[in-house]
Amino acid sequence: MAALTPSPADLSAAAAAAANPRVHVVCAEPSVANHFLAELRDVSVQQDSLRFRRNLQRLGEIIAYKISSQLSYTDKTVRTPLGESSSKHLHDFPVLATVLRAGLPFHQGFLNYFDQSPSAFAAAYRIEGTAQVQVQVDYLSAPSLDERVLILADPMLASGKSLVQTYRAMLRFGTPRQVHIAAVIASPQGVEYVTREIPEATLWVAAIDQGLNEQAYIVPGLGDAGDLSYGSKL
């Protein structure tokens, strides 16, 4: 199949999404994150599901580090074998939330850095065979979110409906004081939808692609992150 060339409208939409001050695009500048993202997309590397999951973890770690600059810290003095040192300690570890099952390796990357964080999980899936994409959220597990920092992570931000519905469902556990949403690859449509529907959130993505196809999958994207991580499903 021939590669599709992004249209001027696609490029304009992606640029507009990236220009939003509440949107941070990690791979906009060259770094090792670009290498991990390239491997995630590469059909030959995707045959190795262990490497695919590890690259999702790595990007989760990189985005976690980026988000950490927005969190609160307190001064603390620690004793070393040779004296004392003043340092910054994370004041309040965020609650880490993700959407099953594709979000699990990405979530693990955040948990590797925020290792004292509690976790929240949601099961959300697309209802196929309808004129528009519909999303069903049928399982939730979360600690109290009242006055907490919430990081909601899902590898693929396509239409944005599953993330918005998951976030709204989680509000039954309390109202966070700060919200960060993280994805590996986003579409311009998903970025616009999420930033409009969750105006209190800051969005962090590795890349913004050209758009969605007729089935509402991101193009060029990388395929089904859940299947590539854990095997195809019936």
Side-chain angles (χ1 to χ4, degrees):
M1 180 182 295
L4 296 176
T5 301
S7 70
D10 293 331
L11 296 174
S12 178
N20 188 320
R22 290 166 45 220
V23 178
H24 301 268
V25 183
V26 173
C27 289
E29 299 293 335
S31 75
V32 72
N34 292 268
H35 180 90
F36 299 148
L37 179 59
E39 287 198 347
L40 281 174
R41 294 187 191 268
D42 191 324
V43 292
S44 61
V45 181
Q46 286 180 352
Q47 305 307 309
D48 185 346
S49 59
L50 175 61
R51 189 166 189 83
F52 187 87
R53 293 193 301 272
R54 184 67 185 107
N55 281 327
L56 283 178
Q57 281 190 38
R58 287 165 167 160
L59 286 168
E61 291 168 352
I62 290 170
I63 297 175
Y65 175 77
K66 296 286 188 179
I67 293 175
S68 72
S69 67
Q70 308 293 310
L71 305 182
S72 299
Y73 294 82
T74 55
D75 293 322
K76 183 175 181 180
T77 299
V78 297
R79 180 170 294 280
T80 79
L82 301 176
E84 293 184 340
S85 175
S86 178
S87 61
K88 299 285 186 183
H89 277 229
L90 190 58
H91 176 68
D92 184 18
F93 276 78
V95 176
L96 305 178
T98 196
V99 181
L100 301 173
R101 67 180 169 151
L104 288 175
F106 192 42
H107 173 87
Q108 185 61 50
F110 286 86
L111 197 58
N112 289 347
Y113 273 28
F114 299 121
D115 59 345
Q116 297 179 44
S117 287
S119 291
F121 299 96
Y125 60 92
R126 290 169 47 148
I127 302 173
E128 306 290 351
T130 57
Q132 294 183 334
V133 175
Q134 298 184 43
V135 178
Q136 180 71 40
V137 179
D138 61 5
Y139 171 81
L140 285 171
S141 173
S144 172
L145 301 180
D146 265 331
E147 291 301 312
R148 298 295 300 270
V149 176
L150 173 67
I151 300 176
L152 176 55
D154 195 13
M156 308 300 286
L157 174 53
S159 70
K161 291 186 177 181
S162 60
L163 273 174
V164 169
Q165 290 192 29
T166 297
Y167 173 71
R168 288 174 177 167
M170 284 188 170
L171 291 179
R172 74 182 64 172
F173 298 101
T175 303
R177 75 169 187 273
Q178 190 179 124
V179 180
H180 299 273
I181 293 176
V184 174
I185 299 175
S187 73
Q189 298 94 321
V191 170
E192 191 279 331
Y193 183 75
V194 168
T195 54
R196 184 182 75 241
E197 297 296 319
I198 314 177
E200 64 271 30
T202 301
L203 182 60
W204 305 79
V205 300
I208 299 176
D209 279 5
Q210 67 192 54
L212 300 175
N213 65 13
E214 294 167 347
Q215 290 77 41
Y217 290 111
I218 302 172
V219 178
L222 54 76
D224 189 306
D227 287 358
L228 291 167
S229 293
Y230 299 111
S232 59
K233 54 189 177 294
L234 292 177

PDB file of all heavy atoms in Angstrom, residues 12-50:
ATOM      1  N   SER A  12      -1.768  21.745   8.584  1.00  0.00           N
ATOM      2  CA  SER A  12      -2.240  22.932   9.280  1.00  0.00           C
ATOM      3  C   SER A  12      -2.923  22.564  10.586  1.00  0.00           C
ATOM      4  O   SER A  12      -2.723  23.210  11.616  1.00  0.00           O
ATOM      5  CB  SER A  12      -3.200  23.722   8.391  1.00  0.00           C
ATOM      6  OG  SER A  12      -3.708  24.840   9.063  1.00  0.00           O
ATOM      7  N   ALA A  13      -3.736  21.502  10.571  1.00  0.00           N
ATOM      8  CA  ALA A  13      -4.437  21.068  11.781  1.00  0.00           C
ATOM      9  C   ALA A  13      -3.461  20.583  12.840  1.00  0.00           C
ATOM     10  O   ALA A  13      -3.607  20.891  14.032  1.00  0.00           O
ATOM     11  CB  ALA A  13      -5.445  19.967  11.438  1.00  0.00           C
ATOM     12  N   ALA A  14      -2.451  19.825  12.420  1.00  0.00           N
ATOM     13  CA  ALA A  14      -1.450  19.338  13.360  1.00  0.00           C
ATOM     14  C   ALA A  14      -0.659  20.499  13.961  1.00  0.00           C
ATOM     15  O   ALA A  14      -0.371  20.519  15.164  1.00  0.00           O
ATOM     16  CB  ALA A  14      -0.510  18.355  12.668  1.00  0.00           C
ATOM     17  N   ALA A  15      -0.307  21.478  13.123  1.00  0.00           N
ATOM     18  CA  ALA A  15       0.442  22.640  13.616  1.00  0.00           C
ATOM     19  C   ALA A  15      -0.391  23.449  14.600  1.00  0.00           C
ATOM     20  O   ALA A  15       0.118  23.929  15.621  1.00  0.00           O
ATOM     21  CB  ALA A  15       0.875  23.509  12.442  1.00  0.00           C
ATOM     22  N   ALA A  16      -1.677  23.600  14.305  1.00  0.00           N
ATOM     23  CA  ALA A  16      -2.556  24.349  15.202  1.00  0.00           C
ATOM     24  C   ALA A  16      -2.692  23.646  16.541  1.00  0.00           C
ATOM     25  O   ALA A  16      -2.686  24.289  17.603  1.00  0.00           O
ATOM     26  CB  ALA A  16      -3.930  24.533  14.554  1.00  0.00           C
ATOM     27  N   ALA A  17      -2.809  22.319  16.522  1.00  0.00           N
ATOM     28  CA  ALA A  17      -2.906  21.562  17.772  1.00  0.00           C
ATOM     29  C   ALA A  17      -1.640  21.713  18.602  1.00  0.00           C
ATOM     30  O   ALA A  17      -1.686  21.895  19.821  1.00  0.00           O
ATOM     31  CB  ALA A  17      -3.182  20.084  17.469  1.00  0.00           C
ATOM     32  N   ALA A  18      -0.489  21.643  17.935  1.00  0.00           N
ATOM     33  CA  ALA A  18       0.792  21.754  18.647  1.00  0.00           C
ATOM     34  C   ALA A  18       1.021  23.153  19.194  1.00  0.00           C
ATOM     35  O   ALA A  18       1.768  23.331  20.163  1.00  0.00           O
ATOM     36  CB  ALA A  18       1.935  21.366  17.713  1.00  0.00           C
ATOM     37  N   ALA A  19       0.388  24.165  18.595  1.00  0.00           N
ATOM     38  CA  ALA A  19       0.586  25.549  19.020  1.00  0.00           C
ATOM     39  C   ALA A  19      -0.216  25.913  20.268  1.00  0.00           C
ATOM     40  O   ALA A  19       0.015  26.962  20.866  1.00  0.00           O
ATOM     41  CB  ALA A  19       0.216  26.497  17.881  1.00  0.00           C
ATOM     42  N   ASN A  20      -1.153  25.058  20.658  1.00  0.00           N
ATOM     43  CA  ASN A  20      -1.942  25.309  21.865  1.00  0.00           C
ATOM     44  C   ASN A  20      -1.012  25.368  23.072  1.00  0.00           C
ATOM     45  O   ASN A  20      -0.235  24.443  23.303  1.00  0.00           O
ATOM     46  CB  ASN A  20      -2.972  24.185  22.036  1.00  0.00           C
ATOM     47  CG  ASN A  20      -3.960  24.452  23.153  1.00  0.00           C
ATOM     48  OD1 ASN A  20      -3.606  24.953  24.217  1.00  0.00           O
ATOM     49  ND2 ASN A  20      -5.200  24.090  22.928  1.00  0.00           N
ATOM     50  N   PRO A  21      -1.041  26.434  23.875  1.00  0.00           N
ATOM     51  CA  PRO A  21      -0.114  26.547  25.005  1.00  0.00           C
ATOM     52  C   PRO A  21      -0.313  25.491  26.076  1.00  0.00           C
ATOM     53  O   PRO A  21       0.579  25.276  26.912  1.00  0.00           O
ATOM     54  CB  PRO A  21      -0.396  27.954  25.551  1.00  0.00           C
ATOM     55  CG  PRO A  21      -1.763  28.295  25.061  1.00  0.00           C
ATOM     56  CD  PRO A  21      -1.898  27.624  23.732  1.00  0.00           C
ATOM     57  N   ARG A  22      -1.444  24.804  26.062  1.00  0.00           N
ATOM     58  CA  ARG A  22      -1.692  23.743  27.036  1.00  0.00           C
ATOM     59  C   ARG A  22      -1.259  22.379  26.515  1.00  0.00           C
ATOM     60  O   ARG A  22      -1.490  21.360  27.159  1.00  0.00           O
ATOM     61  CB  ARG A  22      -3.177  23.706  27.406  1.00  0.00           C
ATOM     62  CG  ARG A  22      -3.625  24.909  28.227  1.00  0.00           C
ATOM     63  CD  ARG A  22      -5.128  25.012  28.291  1.00  0.00           C
ATOM     64  NE  ARG A  22      -5.753  23.727  28.567  1.00  0.00           N
ATOM     65  CZ  ARG A  22      -6.877  23.306  27.990  1.00  0.00           C
ATOM     66  NH1 ARG A  22      -7.468  24.038  27.061  1.00  0.00           N
ATOM     67  NH2 ARG A  22      -7.396  22.137  28.306  1.00  0.00           N
ATOM     68  N   VAL A  23      -0.634  22.354  25.340  1.00  0.00           N
ATOM     69  CA  VAL A  23      -0.196  21.097  24.716  1.00  0.00           C
ATOM     70  C   VAL A  23       1.321  21.091  24.607  1.00  0.00           C
ATOM     71  O   VAL A  23       1.917  22.020  24.058  1.00  0.00           O
ATOM     72  CB  VAL A  23      -0.835  20.919  23.322  1.00  0.00           C
ATOM     73  CG1 VAL A  23      -0.333  19.636  22.666  1.00  0.00           C
ATOM     74  CG2 VAL A  23      -2.358  20.921  23.425  1.00  0.00           C
ATOM     75  N   HIS A  24       1.952  20.046  25.138  1.00  0.00           N
ATOM     76  CA  HIS A  24       3.399  19.886  25.069  1.00  0.00           C
ATOM     77  C   HIS A  24       3.713  18.688  24.172  1.00  0.00           C
ATOM     78  O   HIS A  24       3.266  17.576  24.446  1.00  0.00           O
ATOM     79  CB  HIS A  24       3.993  19.660  26.459  1.00  0.00           C
ATOM     80  CG  HIS A  24       3.713  20.779  27.421  1.00  0.00           C
ATOM     81  ND1 HIS A  24       4.570  21.845  27.591  1.00  0.00           N
ATOM     82  CD2 HIS A  24       2.665  21.008  28.249  1.00  0.00           C
ATOM     83  CE1 HIS A  24       4.078  22.671  28.492  1.00  0.00           C
ATOM     84  NE2 HIS A  24       2.912  22.187  28.909  1.00  0.00           N
ATOM     85  N   VAL A  25       4.487  18.918  23.102  1.00  0.00           N
ATOM     86  CA  VAL A  25       4.850  17.855  22.156  1.00  0.00           C
ATOM     87  C   VAL A  25       6.307  17.478  22.400  1.00  0.00           C
ATOM     88  O   VAL A  25       7.228  18.219  22.034  1.00  0.00           O
ATOM     89  CB  VAL A  25       4.626  18.312  20.703  1.00  0.00           C
ATOM     90  CG1 VAL A  25       4.931  17.172  19.748  1.00  0.00           C
ATOM     91  CG2 VAL A  25       3.190  18.801  20.507  1.00  0.00           C
ATOM     92  N   VAL A  26       6.525  16.336  23.016  1.00  0.00           N
ATOM     93  CA  VAL A  26       7.853  15.938  23.491  1.00  0.00           C
ATOM     94  C   VAL A  26       8.834  15.729  22.342  1.00  0.00           C
ATOM     95  O   VAL A  26      10.016  16.073  22.445  1.00  0.00           O
ATOM     96  CB  VAL A  26       7.733  14.664  24.363  1.00  0.00           C
ATOM     97  CG1 VAL A  26       9.103  14.128  24.742  1.00  0.00           C
ATOM     98  CG2 VAL A  26       6.910  14.963  25.612  1.00  0.00           C
ATOM     99  N   CYS A  27       8.372  15.164  21.236  1.00  0.00           N
ATOM    100  CA  CYS A  27       9.272  14.859  20.122  1.00  0.00           C
ATOM    101  C   CYS A  27       9.398  16.001  19.115  1.00  0.00           C
ATOM    102  O   CYS A  27       9.923  15.802  18.013  1.00  0.00           O
ATOM    103  CB  CYS A  27       8.823  13.580  19.413  1.00  0.00           C
ATOM    104  SG  CYS A  27       9.100  12.082  20.392  1.00  0.00           S
ATOM    105  N   ALA A  28       8.927  17.191  19.493  1.00  0.00           N
ATOM    106  CA  ALA A  28       9.094  18.340  18.599  1.00  0.00           C
ATOM    107  C   ALA A  28      10.563  18.701  18.442  1.00  0.00           C
ATOM    108  O   ALA A  28      10.965  19.255  17.417  1.00  0.00           O
ATOM    109  CB  ALA A  28       8.305  19.533  19.137  1.00  0.00           C
ATOM    110  N   GLU A  29      11.374  18.389  19.452  1.00  0.00           N
ATOM    111  CA  GLU A  29      12.819  18.612  19.402  1.00  0.00           C
ATOM    112  C   GLU A  29      13.521  17.256  19.404  1.00  0.00           C
ATOM    113  O   GLU A  29      13.060  16.306  20.042  1.00  0.00           O
ATOM    114  CB  GLU A  29      13.285  19.435  20.600  1.00  0.00           C
ATOM    115  CG  GLU A  29      12.652  20.827  20.679  1.00  0.00           C
ATOM    116  CD  GLU A  29      13.102  21.732  19.556  1.00  0.00           C
ATOM    117  OE1 GLU A  29      14.209  21.492  19.013  1.00  0.00           O
ATOM    118  OE2 GLU A  29      12.367  22.673  19.208  1.00  0.00           O
ATOM    119  N   PRO A  30      14.656  17.125  18.705  1.00  0.00           N
ATOM    120  CA  PRO A  30      15.365  15.845  18.660  1.00  0.00           C
ATOM    121  C   PRO A  30      15.808  15.376  20.050  1.00  0.00           C
ATOM    122  O   PRO A  30      16.345  16.160  20.836  1.00  0.00           O
ATOM    123  CB  PRO A  30      16.586  16.139  17.770  1.00  0.00           C
ATOM    124  CG  PRO A  30      16.198  17.330  16.963  1.00  0.00           C
ATOM    125  CD  PRO A  30      15.309  18.150  17.845  1.00  0.00           C
ATOM    126  N   SER A  31      15.529  14.133  20.349  1.00  0.00           N
ATOM    127  CA  SER A  31      15.973  13.499  21.590  1.00  0.00           C
ATOM    128  C   SER A  31      15.837  11.996  21.408  1.00  0.00           C
ATOM    129  O   SER A  31      15.312  11.526  20.388  1.00  0.00           O
ATOM    130  CB  SER A  31      15.150  13.971  22.794  1.00  0.00           C
ATOM    131  OG  SER A  31      13.867  13.364  22.791  1.00  0.00           O
ATOM    132  N   VAL A  32      16.256  11.238  22.402  1.00  0.00           N
ATOM    133  CA  VAL A  32      16.132   9.785  22.308  1.00  0.00           C
ATOM    134  C   VAL A  32      14.669   9.361  22.255  1.00  0.00           C
ATOM    135  O   VAL A  32      14.344   8.262  21.784  1.00  0.00           O
ATOM    136  CB  VAL A  32      16.879   9.110  23.479  1.00  0.00           C
ATOM    137  CG1 VAL A  32      16.131   9.309  24.805  1.00  0.00           C
ATOM    138  CG2 VAL A  32      17.106   7.625  23.220  1.00  0.00           C
ATOM    139  N   ALA A  33      13.755  10.230  22.704  1.00  0.00           N
ATOM    140  CA  ALA A  33      12.326   9.915  22.611  1.00  0.00           C
ATOM    141  C   ALA A  33      11.912   9.685  21.162  1.00  0.00           C
ATOM    142  O   ALA A  33      11.068   8.832  20.878  1.00  0.00           O
ATOM    143  CB  ALA A  33      11.494  11.045  23.224  1.00  0.00           C
ATOM    144  N   ASN A  34      12.505  10.421  20.219  1.00  0.00           N
ATOM    145  CA  ASN A  34      12.210  10.229  18.799  1.00  0.00           C
ATOM    146  C   ASN A  34      12.598   8.821  18.344  1.00  0.00           C
ATOM    147  O   ASN A  34      11.915   8.206  17.527  1.00  0.00           O
ATOM    148  CB  ASN A  34      12.965  11.266  17.971  1.00  0.00           C
ATOM    149  CG  ASN A  34      12.455  12.678  18.177  1.00  0.00           C
ATOM    150  OD1 ASN A  34      11.588  13.143  17.456  1.00  0.00           O
ATOM    151  ND2 ASN A  34      12.987  13.359  19.176  1.00  0.00           N
ATOM    152  N   HIS A  35      13.698   8.307  18.865  1.00  0.00           N
ATOM    153  CA  HIS A  35      14.156   6.960  18.514  1.00  0.00           C
ATOM    154  C   HIS A  35      13.156   5.918  19.007  1.00  0.00           C
ATOM    155  O   HIS A  35      12.777   4.999  18.260  1.00  0.00           O
ATOM    156  CB  HIS A  35      15.536   6.714  19.126  1.00  0.00           C
ATOM    157  CG  HIS A  35      16.102   5.368  18.828  1.00  0.00           C
ATOM    158  ND1 HIS A  35      16.884   5.116  17.714  1.00  0.00           N
ATOM    159  CD2 HIS A  35      15.995   4.179  19.485  1.00  0.00           C
ATOM    160  CE1 HIS A  35      17.236   3.837  17.713  1.00  0.00           C
ATOM    161  NE2 HIS A  35      16.709   3.245  18.778  1.00  0.00           N
ATOM    162  N   PHE A  36      12.713   6.064  20.265  1.00  0.00           N
ATOM    163  CA  PHE A  36      11.746   5.106  20.812  1.00  0.00           C
ATOM    164  C   PHE A  36      10.434   5.159  20.043  1.00  0.00           C
ATOM    165  O   PHE A  36       9.823   4.117  19.767  1.00  0.00           O
ATOM    166  CB  PHE A  36      11.491   5.400  22.294  1.00  0.00           C
ATOM    167  CG  PHE A  36      12.713   5.304  23.166  1.00  0.00           C
ATOM    168  CD1 PHE A  36      12.849   6.115  24.290  1.00  0.00           C
ATOM    169  CD2 PHE A  36      13.728   4.412  22.880  1.00  0.00           C
ATOM    170  CE1 PHE A  36      13.963   6.028  25.100  1.00  0.00           C
ATOM    171  CE2 PHE A  36      14.861   4.315  23.679  1.00  0.00           C
ATOM    172  CZ  PHE A  36      14.977   5.136  24.797  1.00  0.00           C
ATOM    173  N   LEU A  37      10.003   6.353  19.668  1.00  0.00           N
ATOM    174  CA  LEU A  37       8.759   6.494  18.913  1.00  0.00           C
ATOM    175  C   LEU A  37       8.884   5.863  17.527  1.00  0.00           C
ATOM    176  O   LEU A  37       7.962   5.190  17.050  1.00  0.00           O
ATOM    177  CB  LEU A  37       8.391   7.972  18.786  1.00  0.00           C
ATOM    178  CG  LEU A  37       7.122   8.289  17.991  1.00  0.00           C
ATOM    179  CD1 LEU A  37       5.903   7.617  18.606  1.00  0.00           C
ATOM    180  CD2 LEU A  37       6.914   9.800  17.893  1.00  0.00           C
ATOM    181  N   ALA A  38      10.024   6.051  16.876  1.00  0.00           N
ATOM    182  CA  ALA A  38      10.241   5.455  15.558  1.00  0.00           C
ATOM    183  C   ALA A  38      10.168   3.936  15.626  1.00  0.00           C
ATOM    184  O   ALA A  38       9.595   3.284  14.737  1.00  0.00           O
ATOM    185  CB  ALA A  38      11.584   5.913  14.983  1.00  0.00           C
ATOM    186  N   GLU A  39      10.738   3.350  16.667  1.00  0.00           N
ATOM    187  CA  GLU A  39      10.672   1.888  16.816  1.00  0.00           C
ATOM    188  C   GLU A  39       9.244   1.415  17.055  1.00  0.00           C
ATOM    189  O   GLU A  39       8.841   0.356  16.566  1.00  0.00           O
ATOM    190  CB  GLU A  39      11.579   1.438  17.958  1.00  0.00           C
ATOM    191  CG  GLU A  39      13.064   1.503  17.640  1.00  0.00           C
ATOM    192  CD  GLU A  39      13.907   0.679  18.584  1.00  0.00           C
ATOM    193  OE1 GLU A  39      13.384   0.249  19.631  1.00  0.00           O
ATOM    194  OE2 GLU A  39      15.094   0.464  18.275  1.00  0.00           O
ATOM    195  N   LEU A  40       8.460   2.194  17.810  1.00  0.00           N
ATOM    196  CA  LEU A  40       7.061   1.828  18.031  1.00  0.00           C
ATOM    197  C   LEU A  40       6.282   1.769  16.725  1.00  0.00           C
ATOM    198  O   LEU A  40       5.415   0.916  16.528  1.00  0.00           O
ATOM    199  CB  LEU A  40       6.393   2.840  18.966  1.00  0.00           C
ATOM    200  CG  LEU A  40       6.666   2.716  20.463  1.00  0.00           C
ATOM    201  CD1 LEU A  40       6.036   3.887  21.199  1.00  0.00           C
ATOM    202  CD2 LEU A  40       6.129   1.404  21.014  1.00  0.00           C
ATOM    203  N   ARG A  41       6.603   2.667  15.793  1.00  0.00           N
ATOM    204  CA  ARG A  41       5.876   2.742  14.526  1.00  0.00           C
ATOM    205  C   ARG A  41       6.341   1.680  13.525  1.00  0.00           C
ATOM    206  O   ARG A  41       5.574   1.281  12.644  1.00  0.00           O
ATOM    207  CB  ARG A  41       6.091   4.117  13.895  1.00  0.00           C
ATOM    208  CG  ARG A  41       5.506   5.306  14.658  1.00  0.00           C
ATOM    209  CD  ARG A  41       5.668   6.531  13.783  1.00  0.00           C
ATOM    210  NE  ARG A  41       5.417   7.809  14.395  1.00  0.00           N
ATOM    211  CZ  ARG A  41       4.234   8.440  14.399  1.00  0.00           C
ATOM    212  NH1 ARG A  41       3.174   7.838  13.883  1.00  0.00           N
ATOM    213  NH2 ARG A  41       4.114   9.650  14.926  1.00  0.00           N
ATOM    214  N   ASP A  42       7.570   1.241  13.630  1.00  0.00           N
ATOM    215  CA  ASP A  42       8.215   0.411  12.615  1.00  0.00           C
ATOM    216  C   ASP A  42       7.613  -0.997  12.606  1.00  0.00           C
ATOM    217  O   ASP A  42       7.704  -1.740  13.590  1.00  0.00           O
ATOM    218  CB  ASP A  42       9.715   0.341  12.903  1.00  0.00           C
ATOM    219  CG  ASP A  42      10.516  -0.282  11.774  1.00  0.00           C
ATOM    220  OD1 ASP A  42      10.018  -1.226  11.125  1.00  0.00           O
ATOM    221  OD2 ASP A  42      11.656   0.164  11.546  1.00  0.00           O
ATOM    222  N   VAL A  43       7.003  -1.397  11.474  1.00  0.00           N
ATOM    223  CA  VAL A  43       6.331  -2.696  11.403  1.00  0.00           C
ATOM    224  C   VAL A  43       7.289  -3.859  11.615  1.00  0.00           C
ATOM    225  O   VAL A  43       6.878  -4.924  12.088  1.00  0.00           O
ATOM    226  CB  VAL A  43       5.583  -2.869  10.064  1.00  0.00           C
ATOM    227  CG1 VAL A  43       4.415  -1.907   9.986  1.00  0.00           C
ATOM    228  CG2 VAL A  43       6.524  -2.693   8.874  1.00  0.00           C
ATOM    229  N   SER A  44       8.567  -3.674  11.284  1.00  0.00           N
ATOM    230  CA  SER A  44       9.516  -4.767  11.485  1.00  0.00           C
ATOM    231  C   SER A  44       9.886  -4.912  12.957  1.00  0.00           C
ATOM    232  O   SER A  44      10.038  -6.029  13.464  1.00  0.00           O
ATOM    233  CB  SER A  44      10.781  -4.535  10.642  1.00  0.00           C
ATOM    234  OG  SER A  44      11.432  -3.334  11.004  1.00  0.00           O
ATOM    235  N   VAL A  45       9.995  -3.809  13.670  1.00  0.00           N
ATOM    236  CA  VAL A  45      10.311  -3.860  15.105  1.00  0.00           C
ATOM    237  C   VAL A  45       9.086  -4.275  15.909  1.00  0.00           C
ATOM    238  O   VAL A  45       9.200  -4.898  16.971  1.00  0.00           O
ATOM    239  CB  VAL A  45      10.848  -2.489  15.588  1.00  0.00           C
ATOM    240  CG1 VAL A  45      11.204  -2.538  17.069  1.00  0.00           C
ATOM    241  CG2 VAL A  45      12.067  -2.069  14.775  1.00  0.00           C
ATOM    242  N   GLN A  46       7.905  -3.974  15.410  1.00  0.00           N
ATOM    243  CA  GLN A  46       6.666  -4.301  16.123  1.00  0.00           C
ATOM    244  C   GLN A  46       6.460  -5.801  16.318  1.00  0.00           C
ATOM    245  O   GLN A  46       5.657  -6.208  17.162  1.00  0.00           O
ATOM    246  CB  GLN A  46       5.455  -3.728  15.367  1.00  0.00           C
ATOM    247  CG  GLN A  46       5.298  -2.229  15.487  1.00  0.00           C
ATOM    248  CD  GLN A  46       4.090  -1.724  14.719  1.00  0.00           C
ATOM    249  OE1 GLN A  46       3.448  -2.475  13.972  1.00  0.00           O
ATOM    250  NE2 GLN A  46       3.755  -0.459  14.891  1.00  0.00           N
ATOM    251  N   GLN A  47       7.182  -6.616  15.556  1.00  0.00           N
ATOM    252  CA  GLN A  47       7.044  -8.071  15.728  1.00  0.00           C
ATOM    253  C   GLN A  47       7.527  -8.522  17.106  1.00  0.00           C
ATOM    254  O   GLN A  47       7.159  -9.596  17.576  1.00  0.00           O
ATOM    255  CB  GLN A  47       7.836  -8.802  14.633  1.00  0.00           C
ATOM    256  CG  GLN A  47       7.473  -8.384  13.217  1.00  0.00           C
ATOM    257  CD  GLN A  47       5.991  -8.480  12.940  1.00  0.00           C
ATOM    258  OE1 GLN A  47       5.377  -9.516  13.190  1.00  0.00           O
ATOM    259  NE2 GLN A  47       5.417  -7.404  12.419  1.00  0.00           N
ATOM    260  N   ASP A  48       8.349  -7.712  17.750  1.00  0.00           N
ATOM    261  CA  ASP A  48       8.874  -8.016  19.083  1.00  0.00           C
ATOM    262  C   ASP A  48       8.008  -7.301  20.114  1.00  0.00           C
ATOM    263  O   ASP A  48       8.196  -6.118  20.400  1.00  0.00           O
ATOM    264  CB  ASP A  48      10.331  -7.541  19.173  1.00  0.00           C
ATOM    265  CG  ASP A  48      11.003  -7.909  20.486  1.00  0.00           C
ATOM    266  OD1 ASP A  48      10.291  -8.298  21.443  1.00  0.00           O
ATOM    267  OD2 ASP A  48      12.235  -7.781  20.573  1.00  0.00           O
ATOM    268  N   SER A  49       7.019  -8.010  20.674  1.00  0.00           N
ATOM    269  CA  SER A  49       6.074  -7.376  21.597  1.00  0.00           C
ATOM    270  C   SER A  49       6.754  -6.914  22.881  1.00  0.00           C
ATOM    271  O   SER A  49       6.335  -5.919  23.488  1.00  0.00           O
ATOM    272  CB  SER A  49       4.919  -8.330  21.924  1.00  0.00           C
ATOM    273  OG  SER A  49       5.398  -9.523  22.515  1.00  0.00           O
ATOM    274  N   LEU A  50       7.812  -7.626  23.298  1.00  0.00           N
ATOM    275  CA  LEU A  50       8.547  -7.203  24.494  1.00  0.00           C
ATOM    276  C   LEU A  50       9.182  -5.842  24.267  1.00  0.00           C
ATOM    277  O   LEU A  50       9.108  -4.955  25.129  1.00  0.00           O
ATOM    278  CB  LEU A  50       9.614  -8.233  24.853  1.00  0.00           C
ATOM    279  CG  LEU A  50      10.549  -7.868  26.020  1.00  0.00           C
ATOM    280  CD1 LEU A  50       9.755  -7.679  27.307  1.00  0.00           C
ATOM    281  CD2 LEU A  50      11.617  -8.944  26.208  1.00  0.00           C
TER     282      LEU A  50
END
